């Protein structure tokens, strides 16, 4: 699926063996025949071509995957081919390559080949390797989070409706995907009012003695306390499943008939409840935006390109309803076409997500037949991949394409605004140019307990949450509550690891691993600590600034400490000041949130977790037998040995652990 270099003169398909130097010679002769002078080939490209020629002779003569690797060991590119040997030969020309391919050839020092049985296997392996290795010259899907689903869990007499994400391990019916958690929450809210299904957990359900608040506000039918019979509740579950399966018209018509019958029998309260349920169903359908009339299930992908950037907009239609959309901004070379980027994107997207029976695209892709074969095998039914040209299917694609263009426009505007803020910040702190990577550090603890250090990262694309890091303060020499000591440990560990790992060429070209500016939440003391740490580690080219709130601690009156300058303040309405405040507040949020999570984990920690060799099932058996960890600690060895599922060796481990305690 990945875009390859497509040479004008690939060897003929019927030739199984040919000479790579002859391919290069043919390309050069072609230039001479056209009357044009062959441009001088850089030495680095010549070296790369020589390397590829050597490896080409050992390339498999069939389907497979190849990797082009730099001298540092970094994987530059992962590609697939029906015939790897012929594909690799296309890189051995000395001229005619676009800049991207020429740079890739120049950096190649070795190649690795993997043979597979079929071209389908090659597609799957290529997508796996791209996701794992993230090669610099491949199209990379940036956001691969799983999509949320609505689950009607059928593992209880009173099925539960809930939001689900992840593996489908629980018995029940899954409806989705929804493009966002917000879309699922909105749908669940309306579905609870329409079908009155319970959303509570199993333990909550089992321990109710009277209906909860959801029953009072008519968002649950109260099966926990017998407010509705199990037969009637099962009918509500059936209606909900029919509605989510696309039989919405039948469900609405049935409810309308029941409402009319109830009103004719003068059962006005029941008629009003049915009216409210019909209204809730209308809210579910009306909030979906554009709903197809003839397309029951489809995934729609549209790609837009502007200023060398790409945006892929994905829409999901299920049960004749629009279940939301999501924008993706893949990393791809500006020289690639929309079709090439979309081709590579889909291979990676469907590695993690199931497909609909129909996949509609804004641009035709080269490997549509191969993608159909892979998706059909996975789904277990025929999957169609096409770029429709007319009718409602084309209307859906055009709607997605319009959203892709708008999303890309917003992204470019946001990036331009972010770039202006970075430039203003660099100017305020005396940097030569706008910083590409900013790291902000903060500490969080309560009296020195569960102390953590937090690092957030910002760049031209905003907050880079994939680069956030936390540091558990573990030095025994630090006095509890010593902010200076904690900051020293955090910065030492961060920059010592950076020096050890180094910075690859990929980091410098994409998003640097080394910051241009670090911001410290604190005053002169924290600034001096940061400066000393960087000097001791020999780190150069990193500017340091610290932010002190001052005695009044009012936002807008922060004092800044920078090397070689007296402490200063920024004007109250300076955009750079607002930007710094946003960075500091994000560091606070991340540090405090991480600290709270760690503190909560400590509160809920079970003494049995500390015993090596006691897994979840044996821990559960011990707690069921004795009631609590404290009772387990007081138990005699003979009593521990009698617990079902606990052998004598484990019983002795548990007994000796608590005896030592």
């Amino acid at each position: 699926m990945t875009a390859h270099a497509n040479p004008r003169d690939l060897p003929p398909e019927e030739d199984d063996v040919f000479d790579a130097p002859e391919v290069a010679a043919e390309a050069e002769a072609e230039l001479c025949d056209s009357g044009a002078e062959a441009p001088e080939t850089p030495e680095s490209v010549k070296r790369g071509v020589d390397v590829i020629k050597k490896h080409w002779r050992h390339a498999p003569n069939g389907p497979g995957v190849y990797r082009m690797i730099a001298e540092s060991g970094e994987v530059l590119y992962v590609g697939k081919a029906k015939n790897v040997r012929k594909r690799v030969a296309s890189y051995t020309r000395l001229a005619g390559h676009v800049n991207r391919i020429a740079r890739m050839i120049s950096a190649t020092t070795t190649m690795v080949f993997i043979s597979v049985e079929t071209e389908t296997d090659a597609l799957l392996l290529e997508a796996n390797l791209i996701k794992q290795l993230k090669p610099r010259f491949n199209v990379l899907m940036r956001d691969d989070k799983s999509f949320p689903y609505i689950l009607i869990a059928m593992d209880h007499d009173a099925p539960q409706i809930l939001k689900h994400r992840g593996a489908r391990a629980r018995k029940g019916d899954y409806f989705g995907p929804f493009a966002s958690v917000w879309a699922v929450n909105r749908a669940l809210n309306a579905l609870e009012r329409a079908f009155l299904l319970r959303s509570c957990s199993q333990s909550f359900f089992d321990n109710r003695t009277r209906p909860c608040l959801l029953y009072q506000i008519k968002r649950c039918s109260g099966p926990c306390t017998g407010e509705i019979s199990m037969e009637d509740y099962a009918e509500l579950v059936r209606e909900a499943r029919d509605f989510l399966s696309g039989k919405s018209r039948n469900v609405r018509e049935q409810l309308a008939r029941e409402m009319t019958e109830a009103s004719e029998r003068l059962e006005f309260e029941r008629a009003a409840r049915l009216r409210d349920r019909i209204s809730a169903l209308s809210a579910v359908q009306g909030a979906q935006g554009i709903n197809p009339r003839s397309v029951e299930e489809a995934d729609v992908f549209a790609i837009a390109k502007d200023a060398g950037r790409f945006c892929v907009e994905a829409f999901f239609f299920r049960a004749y309803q629009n279940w939301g959309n999501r924008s993706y901004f893949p990393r791809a070379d500006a020289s690639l076409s929309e079709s090439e980027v979309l081709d590579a994107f889909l291979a990676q997207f469907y590695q993690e997500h199931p497909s609909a029976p129909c996949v509609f695209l804004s641009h035709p892709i080269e490997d549509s037949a191969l993608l159909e074969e892979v998706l059909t095998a996975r789904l277990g039914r025929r999957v169609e991949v096409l770029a429709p040209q007319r009718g409602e299917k084309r209307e859906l694609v055009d709607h997605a394409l319009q959203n892709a263009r708008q999303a890309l426009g917003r992204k470019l505007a946001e990036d331009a605004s972010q770039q202006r803020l970075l430039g203003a910040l660099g100017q305020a702190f005396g940097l030569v140019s706008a910083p590409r990577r900013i790291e902000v550090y903060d500490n969080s603890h309560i009296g020195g307990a569960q102390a953590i250090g937090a690092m957030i990262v910002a760049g031209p694309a905003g907050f880079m949450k994939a680069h956030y890091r936390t540091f558990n303060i573990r030095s025994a020499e630090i006095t509890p509550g010593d902010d200076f000591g904690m900051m020293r440990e955090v910065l030492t560990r961060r920059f010592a690891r950076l020096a050890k790992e180094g910075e690859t060429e990929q980091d410098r070209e994409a998003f640097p691993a080394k910051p241009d500016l670090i911001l410290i939440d604190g005053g002169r003391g924290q600034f001096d600590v940061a400066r000393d740490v960087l000097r001791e580690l020999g780190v150069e080219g990193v500017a340091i600034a610290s932010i002190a709130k001052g005695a009044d601690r009012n936002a807008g009156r922060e004092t800044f400490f920078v090397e070689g300058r007296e402490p200063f303040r920024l004007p109250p309405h300076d955009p750079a000041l607002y930007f710094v405040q946003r960075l500091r507040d994000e560091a606070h949020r991340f540090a405090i949130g991480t600290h709270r999570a760690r503190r909560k984990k400590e509160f809920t920690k079970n003494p049995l977790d500390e015993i090596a060799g006691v897994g979840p099932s044996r821990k559960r058996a011990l707690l069921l037998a004795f009631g609590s960890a404290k009772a387990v600690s007081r138990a005699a060895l003979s009593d521990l040995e009698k617990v079902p599922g606990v052998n004598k060796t484990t019983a002795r481990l548990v007994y000796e652990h608590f005896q030592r305690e």
Side-chain angles (χ1 to χ4, degrees):
M1 302 300 296
T2 303
H4 300 288
N6 291 317
R8 289 170 294 173
D9 281 332
L10 276 177
E13 285 294 328
E14 63 270 20
D15 292 341
D16 291 332
V17 181
F18 54 93
D19 191 65
E22 291 180 4
V23 177
E26 288 177 10
E28 293 175 0
E30 190 177 295
L31 284 171
C32 296
D33 293 340
S34 65
E37 289 188 10
E40 185 178 351
T41 305
E43 288 298 323
S44 58
V45 175
K46 293 179 180 178
R47 287 194 299 270
V49 167
D50 290 339
V51 168
I52 294 172
K53 286 179 181 178
K54 292 177 182 177
H55 287 84
W56 164 82
R57 301 184 183 280
H58 306 287
N61 216 344
V65 173
Y66 60 93
R67 281 175 282 173
M68 305 175 80
I69 303 173
E71 186 177 7
S72 63
E74 170 200 355
V75 177
L76 300 170
Y77 183 77
V78 175
K80 65 154 181 62
K82 185 176 182 180
N83 188 308
V84 176
R85 197 159 189 243
K86 293 182 179 181
R87 170 65 69 184
V88 173
S90 68
Y91 298 113
T92 60
R93 293 184 300 156
L94 291 175
H97 299 296
V98 297
N99 289 337
R100 166 177 164 268
I101 301 299
R103 287 188 286 115
M104 184 172 73
I105 292 173
S106 299
T108 300
T109 59
T110 187
M111 297 186 72
V112 175
F113 305 109
I114 303 176
S115 295
V116 294
E117 292 294 328
T118 65
E119 195 176 2
T120 301
D121 294 337
L123 170 67
L124 297 174
L125 179 58
E126 179 200 41
N128 279 332
L129 290 176
I130 290 174
K131 180 181 177 183
Q132 176 186 351
L133 301 173
K134 295 180 172 54
R136 190 198 322 167
F137 290 97
N138 282 97
V139 175
L140 296 183
M141 178 180 169
R142 298 278 186 124
D143 179 10
D144 60 350
K145 293 186 294 186
S146 61
F147 290 104
Y149 284 74
I150 287 178
L151 166 63
I152 297 181
M154 305 299 292
D155 51 2
H156 191 271
D157 293 338
Q160 172 193 11
I161 187 169
L162 70 157
K163 175 176 58 184
H164 177 83
R165 192 196 292 268
R168 301 186 182 188
R170 193 170 178 185
K171 181 182 177 182
D173 297 313
Y174 295 82
F175 301 95
F178 288 79
S180 66
V181 174
W182 176 81
V184 171
N185 290 338
R186 182 188 63 191
L188 278 175
N189 183 48
L191 289 170
E192 287 173 4
R193 290 188 286 115
F195 298 107
L196 308 177
L197 301 187
R198 73 177 184 95
S199 58
C200 57
S201 65
Q202 192 58 48
S203 60
F204 188 88
F205 180 91
D206 292 338
N207 291 285
R208 296 302 299 175
T209 57
R210 60 178 182 173
C212 67
L213 181 62
L214 290 178
Y215 174 80
Q216 306 297 335
I217 62 175
K218 296 181 175 58
R219 286 182 55 179
C220 180
S221 54
C224 54
T225 55
E227 308 302 321
I228 183 175
S229 67
M230 284 301 171
E231 292 78 10
D232 291 340
Y233 187 81
E235 180 64 18
L236 293 177
V237 173
R238 184 193 63 77
E239 292 176 357
R241 293 169 65 187
D242 287 347
F243 180 83
L244 289 170
S245 299
K247 303 175 183 177
S248 56
R249 179 178 298 179
N250 295 341
V251 174
R252 288 168 59 88
E253 290 176 354
Q254 180 181 346
L255 293 177
R257 285 196 302 269
E258 292 179 8
M259 181 181 69
T260 302
E261 294 171 359
S263 62
E264 290 174 352
R265 293 195 302 266
L266 304 182
E267 298 175 356
F268 298 119
E269 290 187 4
R270 172 174 165 76
R273 289 196 298 270
L274 291 168
R275 178 202 62 200
D276 293 341
R277 291 180 59 193
I278 294 172
S279 176
L281 290 182
S282 300
V284 175
Q285 292 182 309
Q288 301 299 333
I290 178 174
N291 289 326
R293 301 176 299 277
S294 60
V295 178
E296 180 179 0
E297 292 188 34
D299 295 340
V300 179
F301 296 91
I303 184 168
K305 179 180 181 181
D306 190 12
R309 300 284 297 277
F310 296 89
C311 174
V312 177
E313 194 76 17
F315 275 81
F316 306 101
F317 297 93
R318 299 293 186 272
Y320 299 100
Q321 299 174 25
N322 176 4
W323 282 3
N325 61 301
R326 182 181 292 184
S327 301
Y328 295 87
F329 302 93
R331 194 191 84 192
D333 192 272
S335 64
L336 296 174
S337 67
E338 289 93 330
S339 295
E340 290 173 317
V341 174
L342 186 59
D343 200 341
F345 173 87
L346 291 173
Q348 297 175 54
F349 180 88
Y350 282 121
Q351 280 291 109
E352 298 292 333
H353 310 299
S355 71
C358 296
V359 179
F360 301 147
L361 310 177
S362 61
H363 294 70
I365 60 174
E366 180 182 353
D367 289 331
S368 59
L370 187 57
L371 183 61
E372 282 183 354
E373 184 180 345
V374 171
L375 298 183
T376 297
R378 285 186 172 179
L379 190 62
R381 56 186 289 195
R382 170 70 177 166
V383 175
E384 186 180 23
V385 179
L386 75 158
Q389 301 301 315
R390 61 183 65 86
E392 186 182 32
K393 296 176 181 178
R394 185 64 209 182
E395 292 175 5
L396 296 177
V397 171
D398 289 340
H399 178 71
L401 187 58
Q402 180 184 3
N403 279 266
R405 290 168 178 159
Q406 293 174 353
L408 183 56
R410 289 191 297 269
K411 180 68 172 176
L412 292 173
E414 291 171 2
D415 289 353
S417 175
Q418 183 79 359
Q419 194 64 47
R420 286 194 297 270
L421 288 173
L422 291 171
L425 186 63
Q427 186 176 4
F429 290 156
L431 275 64
V432 177
S433 59
R436 292 183 60 203
R437 178 183 177 117
I438 302 173
E439 294 182 356
V440 190
Y441 294 87
D442 193 14
N443 298 324
S444 184
H445 60 89
I446 295 181
Q450 288 92 40
I452 64 103
M455 177 190 83
I456 70 153
V457 180
F463 291 116
M464 313 291 287
K465 296 191 176 182
H467 294 263
Y468 286 17
R469 296 292 182 269
T470 56
F471 303 83
N472 292 325
I473 305 300
R474 54 196 183 201
S475 175
E477 300 177 0
I478 297 177
T479 304
D482 181 4
D483 286 333
F484 296 159
M486 287 188 284
M487 186 60 67
R488 174 177 289 278
E489 178 179 335
V490 168
L491 292 174
T492 300
R493 287 164 57 186
R494 158 64 181 143
F495 285 96
R497 180 171 183 177
L498 179 63
K500 180 180 179 181
E501 294 179 349
E503 186 179 18
T504 66
E505 187 178 351
Q506 181 180 8
D507 294 329
R508 292 191 292 272
E509 290 192 3
F511 187 66
K514 181 181 178 181
D516 303 300
L517 172 67
I518 62 174
L519 296 177
I520 308 295
D521 185 28
R524 169 66 71 180
Q526 280 86 349
F527 174 83
D528 291 340
V529 167
R531 182 188 57 193
D532 293 344
V533 169
L534 266 60
R535 285 179 177 174
E536 292 169 4
L537 296 175
V539 178
E540 298 179 351
V542 178
I544 307 171
S546 65
I547 317 162
K549 291 181 180 178
D552 50 14
R553 304 185 69 79
N554 288 336
R557 299 185 181 180
E558 292 87 348
T559 301
F560 297 93
F561 296 86
V562 178
E563 183 73 21
R565 295 174 60 180
E566 291 295 323
F568 64 95
R569 291 182 178 179
L570 293 174
H573 301 292
D574 191 334
L577 177 60
Y578 291 133
F579 187 40
V580 170
Q581 290 171 353
R582 281 177 54 205
L583 295 172
R584 181 196 59 200
D585 293 344
E586 172 67 4
H588 280 330
R589 180 202 66 78
F590 184 59
I592 292 172
T594 306
H595 171 69
R596 285 176 177 167
R598 184 181 177 191
R599 193 170 73 240
K600 181 179 180 181
K601 186 177 180 180
E602 290 293 327
F603 287 158
T604 58
K605 193 172 182 181
N606 192 307
L608 296 176
D609 295 335
E610 302 175 4
I611 308 175
V614 178
S617 59
R618 288 173 177 173
K619 182 174 70 174
R620 191 180 304 112
L622 289 167
L623 292 174
L624 286 174
F626 295 99
S628 68
K630 189 174 184 179
V632 174
S633 68
R634 295 174 176 174
L637 178 59
S638 57
D639 294 330
L640 292 171
E641 292 175 346
K642 296 176 183 177
V643 175
V646 177
N647 55 35
K648 292 185 177 181
T649 303
T650 303
R652 181 165 293 280
L653 280 174
V654 174
Y655 180 76
E656 291 179 350
H657 172 81
F658 287 114
Q659 289 299 313
R660 288 195 300 271
E661 291 291 327

